[in-house]
Amino acid sequence: MRYGHFDDSRREYVITQPDTPLPWINYLGSEAYFGLISNTAGGYSFYRDARLRRITRYRYNNVPLDSGGRYLYLRDDAPPAEGGDEGAFWSPSWQPARHDLEDYACRHGLGYSIIGSTYRGIEAQTRYFVPLGDNLEIWQLTLTNHRSEAAHLSVFACVEFCLWDAWDDATNYQRNLSIGEVEVEDAVIYHKSEYRERRNHFAFFACSGEWAGFDTQRDVFLGLYGGWDKPAAVERGRSFNSVAHGWAPIGSHHVRVALEPGGTHQVVFLLGYHENPADRKFDPPTSSLIDKAGVKPIIARYLEPENVDAAFRALRAYWDDLLAVFQVDTPDVHTDRMVNVWNAYQCMVTFNLSRSASFFESGVGRGMGFRDSNQDLLGFVHMVPARARRRILDLAATQLESGGAYHQYQPLTKRGNDAVGANFNDDPLWLVLSVAAYLKETGDGSILDEPVPYDNQPGSEQPLYEHLQRSLRYTLDRLGPHGLPLIGRADWNDCLNLNTFSSTPGESFQTATSKDGETAESVFIAGLFVLAARELAAIARWRGLEEEAHTYEAEAARMETGVLEHGWDGDWFLRAYDDSSRKVGSRECQEGRIFVESQGICILAGIGLDGGAEGKGPLAEQALASVREHLVTPHGIVLHQPAYSRYYLHLGEISSYPPGYKENAGIFCHTNPWIMIAEAIVGHGDQAHDYYMRINPSAREAIADLHRCEPYVYAQMIAGRDAPTHGEAKNSWLTGTAAWNYVAISQWILGIRPTYAGLQVAPVVPSNWPGFTATRVFRGVTHRITVERVGEGNDVCLSVDGVPVPGDIVPLPPKGQTEVRVQVGLGRAQG
Ligand code: BGC
Ligand code: NOJ
């Protein structure tokens, strides 16, 4: 069944049934203050770093599902004689009280969610969003009385504060239960645990409206054995005005609202984060009371409804501008809404959060991944090029002098750490791809000259260009017995741990090593190296360094030869050689005979496009035919086949998963677009788009009970054919799937691709598409593109502003011209 629908014109997904198969969430915030919000107002907020600056508390894996959030309660205060139902209370977002609501709807939009319902004639709509430029979230509640009598209501709002470090908060109770502190002043609740000592930040929770009371001690508000569904204060209709000293600080406001029949009223709640200068923390300076001079004007501004409305309009305009960079109109609605809205939006969310905080990533474990963030950039660079530039420089500054990279860095400090392991030998190569994407998008070569340190060490700065050179060198310095790159800890597939050999329960596959790492090799890294070396050659050539370009091309060619000699298995590309130099991903194997990653990346690198054995076609075609034969399911392309049926010491985490899940032959959606791109490269538009549709979230909306995750964003994984729950998705939102699908559909299937020379238009679309139109802002020029099919195949006949142009690249117009009309005749015209 369906739990909602797309409202394409408002760019919203409208959930009409609250008990979705999993919490269907959205993100608030686009700069520094962020929040996750589910369709029933569950979730939490943090400032910059989901671990170190957690503002509100959230308990993962809770019972019932998704408990804790930005909760409002409405209580009927009018006695029956006055038409009321005194004492009845409910949650307008369904959770946590879970009454049968009428007209429940959650509209997830771009950076905001509106959750509303009607209960016993009282309509309540809450718009949740984070305004641009400030570190707070707004809950704008509008109440409307549809009864024929006046209504007297109490509104209770509640958040549970986190004691800042989310990890300590969940573990260190002997300390935590004694440190909680708050202040309540002028109807604002300030959460200031640890402010007395080294922190200079605090949280605040404010409200407009007729303030009737507050609570700040959770167990007083709820009642000692009470739950969120039935807080004692709400039941009795009056706050306790409790002040937290230790235990569990919360912020709860009680506001009374009287509404005439048909009357409507707005209450604004603000939850925010504020930092004071270290020397202006206290007022008076010798006290431990917060100096509120800086925060008060911010609170006052957003308690004014006009300012809130203006901030919301600004947020909408911000998103409209970002999305306007690329818009399409194709014959397929699922393609349109993902490209135009949701896929681009998800790319921005991965830009902000990498893999840190979702309903599947707890926010305490993982910082920004080096490999992840470089790939994410491919999906957002066109929308926020200046921020992408900053991101590249931050990432490169965590690179090591060896050319290697920390596997992740902490967003708050921007320092690299190897908490989840080091020596993933693919890591540094992704930096070349992100820089190439940035250069093609912007033409801003100055980034290559930026001095960037290694490991953030002052004095070690070298131009970014040298970082890229060292990335390639890192691979070349680490070749194995077949001349292929040593895999190290793992490559893109974090779970292919060929040097780990772990037999200790619970030991991390990502940090344990028991081999010297001198033998196991990765064909995937070989392919990625060829791709990166060719990109660096193009960069060098663009900068006029012809000789260097030749060097990189020669290295790429040498590696390509290595792949053809030692990385081809007869019908597909091999995956790896293990620590005993036995093949992984070969027909010689019992299990794990064919892997998807090496097929994808090698073809992207241009390996196997020409030649090939008699009657069999080029290797790329053979590899793709093998993918089709062995790996494709109705729900997407699985990672390998056959799945590993048991644990193999020499393969590591990949074989730790039950068959069909995650890296053990799950549909790891990140890799599917590589195959779409490969199909596009060899000219198969029908096949490429068919694969695109299999995992397209919107196209899977109708099977929501099976798919379970949100129908508007990609999930990392869909259970593979070996799993009992084949087709069920997990780990939505924070996944490289977002960026790569965006690249696959926009740059390769629709074929609109930035190059150094201009915007390329080389569509490889389904044969039955009569054409499509697109608008792409590229280097400040709006390209209005019309593609019309004139015959079979993918030939391009280009004209720009009515003038025929050879090839398929739209030259950059003379300075000052801000718009071009691009006409493409697609296919070979008859006669
Ligand atoms: C997961 C991988 C992930 C890794 C991160 C593994 O358990 O299966 O998908 O990349 O953890 O550390
Ligand atoms: C998720 C990780 O974030 C990513 O870096 C990795 O490539 C995939 N899992 C595959 O293991």
Side-chain angles (χ1 to χ4, degrees), residues 816-827:
Q817 187 175 341
T818 56
E819 198 165 313
V820 288
R821 255 182 329 102
V822 180
Q823 202 79 29
V824 170
L826 182 63

Side-chain angles (χ1 to χ4, degrees), residues 692-715:
Y692 174 73
M693 291 299 278
R694 286 176 203 238
I695 62 166
N696 180 306
S698 162
R700 296 174 65 79
E701 188 190 18
I703 53 164
D705 283 317
L706 175 63
H707 183 79
R708 300 190 69 191
C709 281
E710 296 91 336
Y712 41 91
V713 287
Y714 286 97

Side-chain angles (χ1 to χ4, degrees), residues 366 371-372 407 420 424 492-495 510 653 657 662-663 668 716 731:
R366 299 167 78 186
R371 153 203 313 139
D372 294 333
H407 198 47
V420 295
F424 293 83
W492 172 88
N493 190 330
D494 274 337
C495 298
Q510 315 288 326
E653 187 169 2
Y657 286 110
K662 292 279 288 181
E663 280 88 342
F668 220 94
Q716 179 201 58
N731 304 356

Side-chain angles (χ1 to χ4, degrees), residues 354-355 361 366 369-373 375 407 424 426-427 430 490-496 510 597 639 662-663 668 670-671 674 716 731 734-736:
S354 187
R355 307 294 171 270
E361 300 282 5
R366 299 167 78 186
F370 189 89
R371 153 203 313 139
D372 294 333
S373 294
Q375 291 173 83
H407 198 47
F424 293 83
D426 64 316
D427 267 338
W430 298 106
D491 58 25
W492 172 88
N493 190 330
D494 274 337
C495 298
L496 191 59
Q510 315 288 326
E597 304 100 297
L639 210 57
K662 292 279 288 181
E663 280 88 342
F668 220 94
H670 188 136
T671 62
W674 294 340
Q716 179 201 58
N731 304 356
L734 302 183
T735 158

Side-chain angles (χ1 to χ4, degrees), residues 534-679:
R534 290 187 170 146
E535 289 289 9
L536 194 55
I539 293 173
R541 180 157 298 126
W542 180 59
R543 302 200 97 197
L545 305 170
E546 193 58 35
E547 222 167 285
E548 270 194 53
H550 279 302
T551 314
Y552 301 132
E553 277 163 354
E555 296 294 3
R558 202 178 356 257
M559 189 68 80
E560 176 169 13
T561 307
V563 170
L564 295 175
E565 270 175 29
H566 301 291
W568 180 252
D569 196 54
D571 288 307
W572 55 77
F573 292 101
L574 203 65
R575 182 61 178 82
Y577 287 95
D578 70 15
D579 180 60
S580 316
S581 276
R582 279 172 308 191
K583 293 175 180 172
V584 179
S586 156
R587 57 171 137 198
E588 292 170 16
C589 306
Q590 289 281 314
E591 299 184 333
R593 287 160 63 90
I594 170 171
F595 278 70
V596 73
E597 304 100 297
S598 38
Q599 321 313 317
I601 209 75
C602 288
I603 299 174
L604 259 67
I607 302 175
L609 294 183
D610 316 308
E614 182 98 2
K616 279 185 142 183
L619 300 190
E621 295 272 7
Q622 292 179 47
L624 289 170
S626 299
V627 167
R628 200 145 49 240
E629 186 181 339
H630 301 288
L631 302 178
V632 173
T633 81
H635 299 290
I637 308 169
V638 298
L639 210 57
H640 62 263
Q641 283 289 288
Y644 293 112
S645 61
R646 60 188 179 85
Y647 178 57
Y648 293 97
L649 197 62
H650 67 289
L651 297 177
E653 187 169 2
I654 191 167
S655 60
S656 75
Y657 286 110
Y661 293 109
K662 292 279 288 181
E663 280 88 342
N664 189 9
I667 296 158
F668 220 94
C669 298
H670 188 136
T671 62
N672 282 217
W674 294 340
I675 299 301
M676 299 167 204
I677 297 171
E679 290 285 3

Side-chain angles (χ1 to χ4, degrees), residues 455-536:
D455 195 8
N456 278 295
Q457 293 309 313
S460 66
E461 290 81 359
Q462 292 293 337
L464 177 66
Y465 186 67
E466 188 186 305
H467 283 250
L468 305 184
Q469 293 173 310
R470 289 200 193 184
S471 290
L472 292 192
R473 185 58 28 223
Y474 181 84
T475 303
L476 294 174
D477 287 347
R478 287 165 183 73
L479 299 179
H482 299 90
L484 296 172
L486 292 169
I487 195 168
R489 170 94 37 217
D491 58 25
W492 172 88
N493 190 330
D494 274 337
C495 298
L496 191 59
N497 314 122
L498 302 181
N499 292 305
T500 299
F501 287 75
S502 173
S503 54
T504 308
E507 183 174 58
S508 163
F509 288 103
Q510 315 288 326
T511 53
T513 314
S514 45
K515 296 289 168 178
D516 62 10
E518 296 296 326
T519 308
E521 299 164 283
S522 162
V523 176
F524 177 84
I525 300 182
L528 182 61
F529 175 86
V530 175
L531 182 60
R534 290 187 170 146
E535 289 289 9
L536 194 55

